[in-house]
Amino acid sequence: MDESELLPIRSFLEQLVPFNELPLDTLEQCCRTLSIGYYSKASVAVPLDENNPMLYIVRSGAFEVRDADGELVDRLGEGDYFGFPSLLSGEGASNQVLILEDGLVYHLPPAEFDRLRLQHRHFDRFFNRAYAKRLRHERRFKNRDSVTTNRISSLISAELLSVASHDTVTHAAGQMRNQHVSSALVLDNGKLVGILTDRDLRNRVLAEGLTGEVTVKQAMTQMPVSIDAKALVFEAMLLMSEHNIHHLPVLENGLPIGMVTSTDIIRSQSSQPLLLIREIERQQQLPDLITVSRQIPQLLQNLISADARAEEIGRILTSVTDALTRKLIMLHQAILGEPPMAFCWLAFGSQGRQDQVACSDQDNGLLLAQEPDEQARDYFQALAAGVCSGLNECGYMFCPGNIMAQNPTWMLSHDAWQQKFFDWVESPAPKALMHASIFFDMRAVCGPSSLFESLQQSVLKRTKDNDIFLAALTGNALTESPPLGFFRKFVLERDGSEVKGIDLKHRGSALINDIARVYALSAGISEVNTAKRIKRCIDAGVLNRKDGLNLADALEFIAHMRLANQGEQFEQQQPLTNFLKPQALSSLMRHQLRDAFKVVHDSQSALRLKFMRSF
C-alpha cells in the first residue's frame, strides 16, 4: 500500500476511538495490514468466515446486527465495529450482519488485533467493554421479568382458531372443543368482526333457550377489544383488567394472528408493576395510597437494574401514574358524588407522552363536556384540587408553572379548550409556543375517549400543513442544541451546584421530543409518544426512514443513559438529576453518546430546512 492509499485510511482512523490513542508509527503499521471490502445492499448480508475472523471497521454505509432469532442487536454506521466478539471469545459468529446501505469496510487481521490489544491497554479495554455491552444487550430479554417486558406475541399459540359469522354455534363449539380452547376469533374475509367465548355460548345461547343452529353472529361479542402483537404482556394485563375481559385478539398490521387469554398470562410469571397497580386499585383511603406509592422509586430502580429499554420503563411508570390518578379521582368522586357532566382528566408533557422517569412533576388539566355553571364549576374545582394534592403527596410534585387541573385556567369546556388551541396555532407568540411543547403532548387518562378524540382531531386539523405555525414551532424547537462543541467535545453545564455535566433531558431527550412533535403535527398524526410518533412519521413519508431510525435509536440511547445515571445516583443515595458527568463514562460510551448527539444535531438541521426555508 503506497502513501497515497495510506493517507485517507490513517486520517480516518486518527479520528476513531480507540485508534486515535495509538502512537503514529503503530497506527501506520496497523493501516498497512488492513484490507478493504465493498458490500452491496443486493448481497443482503456480510459473509462472515468462521475460519477467518476479523475486526470489521465501517468506513461508509449502514448495517444491522441481528441475533439468531432475528432480534435487533445493534445498528452500525461510519466509525462502528463488528466482528470483535468472535475475536475476543474464540467462538464462531452467532449473529448476522445485514447490509442496509452499500458500504466500504476495513478489515483488520486477527494477528494485528491481538498485537494491539497486548501492547495497548486502552485498546484492549475498549473492545472488552464493547463486548460486555453486547452480551448485556443480548441477554437482557432473557433475564428480565417476562410479563413486564416481553411482547404479547411470545404468548400466542402457533395455531389460530377462527370461525365465520355465518357458521352455526354447534360447529363453532365443536371446533373449540377439538382445539381445547375457550374462545375463537370470528373472521369474515380475513377481517376480525367478533369473538366467541364459552361465556357467550352460555349467556346468549343456552340461557336464552336457543338451539345450536343459531349463527355465530347472533352469539358473538362484536367489535372486541384487541391488542397489537408488539405490545407488552404487561399492557395486555392492564387492558383485560380495565375492560373486565379474559380474551384478547392479537393483531399484526391490523390483521388477526391469534388470541391471548388471562390463563396464558397467568401461566407466565407474576409482574411487579401489575401487582403494584392492583395494590393501588385496592386502596380506599388516601393515606394508604400514599404508602403504596412509596414503592414507585424502587420499581424504577428494579427496571433500570434489569436493563429494560427506556421506552418500556417510561410506559410502565406512566401506567402506574395513570392508575394512581384514576384511583384518586374515584376516591374523591365517592366523597363529592356523581359528576354533573362528562369529563376527561388530561395528562400533558411526560405523562402524556408515556415517558415518565424519576423527578416527574404534574402537568394535567380537565376537559369538560360543556361550559359549567357555578355548581358544576365548584364540583370540578374540588375534584381537581383533591386529585392534584393527592398526587403531590404521592410524590408527583406540583407543577412549578401551575399547569394543573386545579388551576381554573386549565379546567375548561370542550369548546373553550378548542378555542385556546386555535389561538395558539393562529397566533404563535413565544408564550403560545412554550405551551405547544407541553399541551400538544396530551392524552386522556380518565373519561370518555370520544370527548378527548373530538378535541384532538379538531386541533390536528388546524396544525396539519399550517406553514406559519410549523415554522414558528420549529424555530422554538431550535432554541436549544445538543451539547457538542468544536471537535465534538462535550459542552458542560452546571446543575445548580459546582458540578459540571451534560443535561441529558433538556439537551437530549427534550430536543428529540420537539423534533418528533413538529413532524407529527405537520402530518396530523394523533400519536403523542415520541418513539411512536417517529414510526408514524416514517410510515406517513414525512420523515426519511434512515433519519427516522437514527433518531429513534438516539432517543432510546440518551434516555437509557439518563436512566442508568439516575439508577447509580439512587444506589449512592444522591439526589436524582438529569446531569451526567462524562468523565464517569468509558471511551466507548462517550463515543456513542457523541454519535447520538450528532444525530440530534443533524435532525435539527433537517427540520430547519424542511419547515423554515420560506421564512
Side-chain angles (χ1 to χ4, degrees):
M1 186 180 297
D2 60 32
E3 189 63 29
S4 63
E5 295 175 306
L6 188 66
L7 181 60
I9 298 175
R10 188 179 66 204
S11 298
F12 175 69
L13 291 184
E14 281 177 336
Q15 306 299 318
L16 203 60
V17 179
F19 289 92
N20 61 338
E21 295 187 43
L22 294 175
L24 184 59
D25 58 339
T26 302
L27 184 62
E28 287 196 358
Q29 180 182 346
C30 170
C31 291
R32 294 183 189 279
T33 68
L34 294 176
S35 60
I36 302 175
Y38 173 75
Y39 297 99
S40 168
K41 183 179 178 181
S43 301
V44 181
V46 176
L48 302 176
D49 185 353
E50 292 190 6
N51 298 317
N52 186 29
M54 295 181 288
L55 177 68
Y56 297 82
I57 309 168
V58 180
R59 180 65 182 87
S60 63
F63 303 84
E64 274 186 354
V65 181
R66 292 188 175 270
D67 64 18
D69 298 322
E71 186 73 48
L72 178 66
V73 173
D74 207 353
R75 257 190 207 103
L76 309 174
E78 180 181 323
D80 290 326
Y81 307 96
F82 61 95
F84 56 86
S86 295
L87 291 170
L88 292 169
S89 67
E91 299 177 356
S94 58
N95 294 330
Q96 213 184 13
V97 181
L98 304 180
I99 307 166
L100 303 182
E101 294 178 2
D102 296 354
L104 286 175
V105 177
Y106 297 145
H107 305 148
L108 184 71
E112 182 66 10
F113 180 76
D114 291 339
R115 185 182 73 82
L116 293 173
R117 284 180 58 214
L118 184 64
Q119 296 180 4
H120 302 279
R121 186 168 176 269
H122 77 275
F123 190 93
D124 180 60
R125 188 168 59 243
F126 177 91
F127 284 104
N128 274 301
R129 287 177 173 173
Y131 184 38
K133 180 176 182 291
R134 175 70 59 80
L135 288 176
R136 285 197 304 273
H137 183 96
E138 292 175 346
R139 284 200 303 259
R140 70 183 182 187
F141 292 101
K142 300 171 185 175
N143 290 346
R144 292 178 305 184
D145 177 357
S146 62
V147 175
T148 303
T149 51
N150 270 9
R151 304 294 172 187
I152 198 68
S153 55
S154 66
L155 300 185
I156 302 174
S157 59
E159 193 166 350
L160 168 66
L161 175 61
S162 66
V163 295
S165 63
H166 57 74
D167 288 339
T168 65
V169 294
T170 296
H171 171 77
Q175 294 289 93
M176 291 160 63
R177 178 196 61 196
N178 295 340
Q179 296 291 332
H180 306 288
V181 295
S182 60
S183 61
L185 297 179
V186 185
L187 308 182
D188 285 346
N189 298 319
K191 182 180 179 182
L192 179 67
V193 295
I195 179 176
L196 184 68
T197 68
D198 284 346
R199 186 164 62 176
D200 292 329
L201 294 173
R202 184 173 63 249
N203 294 345
R204 295 176 181 159
V205 180
L206 295 177
E208 296 296 328
L210 302 177
T211 71
E213 295 307 306
V214 300
T215 64
V216 167
K217 185 176 182 178
Q218 292 174 263
M220 71 183 187
T221 297
Q222 299 186 32
M223 303 298 291
V225 177
S226 62
I227 193 166
D228 189 87
K230 293 181 181 177
L232 301 177
V233 174
F234 166 73
E235 293 174 304
M237 297 172 85
L238 286 180
L239 208 54
M240 288 181 178
S241 175
E242 181 182 345
H243 293 277
N244 191 29
I245 55 178
H246 302 283
H247 302 79
L248 269 180
V250 181
L251 309 182
E252 187 171 67
N253 298 322
L255 299 176
I257 62 169
M259 178 91 75
V260 165
T261 70
S262 54
T263 304
D264 295 328
I265 294 176
I266 290 170
R267 286 196 188 111
S268 56
Q269 303 169 18
S270 61
S271 164
Q272 186 187 357
L274 190 69
L275 293 176
L276 179 55
I277 287 175
R278 286 176 175 166
E279 192 70 15
I280 288 170
E281 292 172 344
R282 278 198 294 268
Q283 305 312 310
Q284 298 302 319
Q285 296 183 2
L286 179 59
D288 297 330
L289 205 55
I290 294 170
T291 300
V292 172
S293 70
R294 291 177 184 149
Q295 300 176 42
I296 297 173
Q298 187 60 55
L299 169 63
L300 171 60
Q301 183 64 19
N302 292 345
L303 292 168
I304 293 172
S305 299
D307 203 21
R309 283 176 55 83
E311 181 190 356
E312 293 166 356
I313 292 176
R315 281 158 57 189
I316 290 169
L317 286 184
T318 305
S319 295
V320 174
T321 308
D322 290 352
L324 197 59
T325 304
R326 285 192 289 265
K327 189 62 186 182
L328 285 166
I329 291 172
M330 290 175 62
L331 290 179
H332 285 87
Q333 280 185 322
I335 299 170
L336 297 170
E338 288 297 312
M341 67 180 75
F343 73 95
C344 278
W345 185 277
L346 302 179
F348 305 114
S350 63
Q351 187 182 0
R353 291 189 302 271
Q354 296 180 289
D355 63 9
Q356 284 191 307
V357 292
C359 314
S360 294
D361 58 11
Q362 297 183 49
D363 286 312
N364 49 53
L366 267 180
L367 166 61
L368 310 180
Q370 58 198 51
E371 193 64 36
D373 56 24
E374 185 176 351
Q375 184 178 359
R377 187 171 295 280
D378 289 344
Y379 175 95
F380 287 114
Q381 186 62 55
L383 175 67
V387 174
C388 290
S389 178
L391 286 170
N392 182 65
E393 292 184 75
C394 289
Y396 299 88
M397 299 173 292
F398 287 129
C399 173
N402 204 18
I403 299 175
M404 293 179 289
Q406 66 181 15
N407 181 348
T409 306
W410 312 121
M411 184 177 66
L412 302 170
S413 68
H414 176 280
D415 291 347
W417 269 114
Q418 183 173 265
Q419 189 57 52
K420 190 170 284 289
F421 275 104
F422 288 175
D423 290 344
W424 291 334
V425 172
E426 300 307 322
S427 303
K431 189 173 182 179
L433 295 171
M434 182 272 289
H435 285 150
S437 67
I438 301 171
F439 289 96
F440 281 91
D441 298 350
M442 64 173 172
R443 185 173 57 85
V445 172
C446 181
S449 58
S450 58
L451 181 60
F452 169 74
E453 288 167 3
S454 172
L455 172 65
Q456 187 184 42
Q457 290 304 314
S458 65
V459 171
L460 291 175
K461 286 181 182 177
R462 290 292 182 104
T463 65
K464 185 177 182 181
D465 299 325
N466 188 322
D467 293 344
I468 295 176
F469 171 72
L470 294 171
L473 193 62
T474 298
N476 187 68
L478 300 178
T479 55
E480 294 283 359
S481 58
L484 287 179
F486 290 112
F487 307 112
R488 299 184 73 192
K489 289 186 178 294
F490 292 121
V491 177
L492 305 183
E493 305 171 69
R494 297 193 186 277
D495 64 352
S497 66
E498 291 302 308
V499 178
K500 287 186 176 182
I502 303 168
D503 188 341
L504 292 175
K505 178 181 178 181
H506 296 101
R507 293 296 204 103
S509 301
L511 303 185
I512 302 176
N513 293 337
D514 291 342
I515 292 167
R517 184 184 303 113
V518 175
Y519 279 111
L521 292 177
S522 76
I525 291 171
S526 59
E527 184 58 67
V528 295
N529 173 268
T530 299
K532 292 181 179 178
R533 268 177 168 167
I534 292 171
K535 184 181 184 305
R536 289 286 308 277
C537 287
I538 293 172
D539 294 342
V542 296
L543 186 57
N544 173 277
R545 178 174 175 78
K546 178 186 173 184
D547 294 341
L549 292 175
N550 286 339
L551 192 61
D553 286 346
L555 172 69
E556 173 62 29
F557 183 78
I558 293 171
H560 187 82
M561 294 285 287
R562 179 184 172 198
L563 285 166
N565 187 51
Q566 290 183 343
E568 291 183 11
Q569 292 170 340
F570 182 87
E571 287 182 344
Q572 297 170 15
Q573 298 183 331
Q574 298 174 349
L576 302 188
T577 74
N578 296 308
F579 280 78
L580 173 71
K581 301 174 187 176
Q583 61 268 28
L585 299 176
S586 68
S587 56
L588 171 64
M589 298 303 283
R590 286 198 297 271
H591 173 70
Q592 292 178 323
L593 188 57
R594 287 191 192 97
D595 285 348
F597 285 140
K598 177 66 164 52
V599 168
V600 179
H601 175 272
D602 292 345
S603 296
Q604 285 188 324
S605 299
L607 192 75
R608 179 185 290 108
L609 185 63
K610 183 175 179 67
F611 294 103
M612 295 187 71
R613 55 187 169 187
S614 300
F615 295 87

